[in-house]
Amino acid sequence: MEDEERLADLVKGGLAGEGFAVDVAYDGRDGLWMATENTYDVIVLDVMLPRLNGYAVCARLREAGDWTPIMMLTAKDGIYDEAEALDNGADDYLAKPFSYVVLLARLRALVRRGGRERPVTITVGDLVIDPAGLRCRRGEVGIGLTPKEFAVLHALARRPGEVVSKSELLAQAWDFSYDGDPNIVEVYISALRRKIDLPFGKTTLMTVRGAGYRLEAA
């Protein structure tokens, strides 16, 4: 949630290049609605938003029991502003101008932690996924994945043994406003099979006809 459109679009583009699916709201009311209607791993929230400021957005989410990690991003840098952000329920605070490298590192830490503690890595059988480092291996063998391949695999690995629908994968690995061909999911599923299964003689990424996809331990 950022009202400086150029900055918001730059951050979105950078995060998308790292494998994140990113939605953008340019004012507090739209952002609050999106945050209550969708599930997010982390929220980047500017303080000085039109229609509803960041402090109010954060407080309302917490009052509603939404504990999605929140990174406050603002031009203010006083200690009282930082204290107010944290007192309203934010998990971290970064003042503008900021280092994109630092923003990315902090967001990865918040995503890894989530609304509750999460393991540093996700293990499904002998497949090990490191969300913070965007790394994957089977056993001791590293597997090179593109950011989008990793995003699709991560969405599946968070629910091992469960069927994840194509629409859920689109929402998690692309973004809320994606209106392209939904069959793009099948392209990435095929690419993942060629990397995580075929070289190892495994069949763990399953298609459940008419329902979606499932990542099995073995």
Side-chain angles (χ1 to χ4, degrees):
M1 305 183 203
E2 169 61 63
D3 63 324
E4 294 182 38
E5 295 189 18
R6 182 173 178 276
L7 174 61
D9 293 343
L10 284 172
V11 172
K12 176 179 179 177
L15 293 176
E18 295 290 337
F20 289 91
V22 186
D23 295 330
V24 175
Y26 300 113
D27 68 67
R29 289 195 183 277
D30 285 349
L32 179 61
W33 177 81
M34 292 173 69
T36 54
E37 290 293 315
N38 301 282
T39 300
Y40 294 101
D41 291 311
V42 66
I43 296 171
V44 180
L45 177 60
D46 184 33
V47 169
M48 303 302 291
L49 290 171
R51 301 180 71 200
L52 192 67
N53 70 43
Y55 298 134
V57 171
C58 185
R60 292 190 188 186
L61 288 172
R62 296 311 189 224
E63 288 168 2
D66 187 332
W67 294 99
T68 302
I70 293 175
M71 161 77 74
M72 286 290 224
L73 190 64
T74 177
K76 294 186 174 183
D77 59 0
I79 59 172
Y80 294 107
D81 298 315
E82 181 175 354
E84 186 172 359
L86 298 174
D87 286 344
N88 275 286
D91 297 273
D92 203 353
Y93 182 102
L94 192 60
K96 303 173 187 174
F98 57 86
S99 161
Y100 178 74
V101 173
V102 173
L103 172 66
L104 182 60
R106 289 190 178 184
L107 288 179
R108 282 177 172 165
L110 289 177
V111 167
R112 184 169 63 241
R113 182 174 22 170
R116 53 186 173 81
E117 288 297 318
R118 294 181 183 176
V120 174
T121 60
I122 301 173
T123 302
V124 183
D126 63 349
L127 186 67
V128 180
I129 298 160
D130 174 8
L134 293 180
R135 289 186 290 265
C136 174
R137 60 182 170 86
R138 189 173 286 284
E140 298 302 319
V141 180
I143 302 172
L145 301 176
T146 68
K148 192 63 71 181
E149 289 168 350
F150 189 91
V152 173
L153 180 61
H154 185 206
L156 292 163
R158 289 171 62 178
R159 295 167 55 184
E162 297 181 25
V163 176
V164 183
S165 70
K166 185 180 293 185
S167 61
E168 288 175 307
L169 289 174
L170 283 170
Q172 294 179 51
W174 277 262
D175 60 44
F176 181 68
S177 60
Y178 179 77
D179 60 357
D181 187 350
N183 290 327
I184 190 69
V185 173
E186 297 172 12
V187 174
Y188 281 90
I189 291 293
S190 295
L192 282 171
R193 286 192 178 116
R194 290 194 297 270
K195 292 184 176 183
I196 70 169
D197 276 350
L198 291 179
F200 304 93
K202 304 269 188 178
T203 308
T204 62
L205 184 46
M206 313 294 293
T207 297
V208 181
R209 192 172 299 277
Y213 307 93
R214 183 176 63 236
L215 183 64
E216 299 280 9

